[in-house]
Amino acid sequence: MESDPLSEKMRQWALMKAQTDTTTARMNKLRDDIMGEIVLRGDKDEKGSASFRLPVPVVVGNKTYEELKREARISTTLNEDRALALVKAKGIEGVVVNIPTIDMDELYAVHSEGRITEEEIESLFDTKVSYAFKPQPS
């Protein structure tokens, strides 16, 4: 049977995808195991990070790994519910801003009343098309 060039490319892609999935799963498992060891055996700092010096450096290609670190990354976000409760309790509502937004139900209601046209409604929406590669295994 003669090979189709597109089918051959798809075969190669599917093989590489399967290998990548397997490799990624294995890398993630190794990373999780290593992170657990760093927590158990590493030196912790005041920020919550931990580091561990390898007994034997690991050389791969042109990189040498001598120390492992489990770095704490802290992000701070405002809890809107607690902030609004505090503002209300303290009577400082002046710090609250109202940002205008469109009530879609009301927009369609005025359209159904004939106050804006179908063309006007359609002009309010942007359409973007994107494409995804979706092989269909059987």
Side-chain angles (χ1 to χ4, degrees):
M1 177 182 265
E2 192 173 311
S3 177
D4 171 61
L6 184 57
S7 294
E8 176 56 24
K9 286 180 181 179
M10 182 59 210
R11 186 194 68 73
Q12 290 177 30
W13 179 89
L15 178 61
M16 292 174 79
K17 173 81 170 97
Q19 291 170 339
T20 300
D21 291 347
T22 300
T23 300
T24 299
R26 179 67 180 140
M27 279 177 42
N28 290 341
K29 173 73 170 110
L30 288 167
R31 178 205 57 216
D32 294 347
D33 290 350
I34 292 167
M35 293 280 265
E37 286 296 315
I38 296 169
V39 169
L40 289 174
R41 301 166 54 187
D43 297 321
K44 291 151 188 80
D45 66 18
E46 67 282 351
K47 294 180 182 178
S49 296
S51 58
F52 178 78
R53 190 151 201 72
L54 289 170
V56 177
V58 173
V59 179
V60 177
N62 60 354
K63 294 184 180 182
T64 301
Y65 301 91
E66 298 181 60
E67 185 174 357
L68 307 173
K69 185 170 187 179
R70 179 178 175 261
E71 184 176 82
R73 296 182 178 174
I74 300 167
S75 64
T76 303
T77 56
L78 179 68
N79 182 300
E80 293 280 337
D81 293 334
R82 288 196 305 259
L84 289 171
L86 176 68
V87 164
K88 184 176 179 182
K90 295 288 186 174
I92 53 174
E93 285 85 0
V95 301
V96 177
V97 295
N98 293 315
I99 300 170
T101 58
I102 300 295
D103 181 330
M104 294 300 295
D105 292 335
E106 287 298 317
L107 184 65
Y108 285 117
V110 297
H111 170 259
S112 69
E113 295 167 4
R115 294 167 53 194
I116 57 176
T117 67
E118 184 72 25
E119 293 78 27
E120 289 171 321
I121 283 278
E122 288 177 6
S123 74
L124 300 176
F125 295 90
D126 294 329
T127 301
K128 177 183 170 190
V129 176
S130 62
Y131 298 93
F133 180 54
K134 302 292 286 186
Q136 303 298 307
S138 54

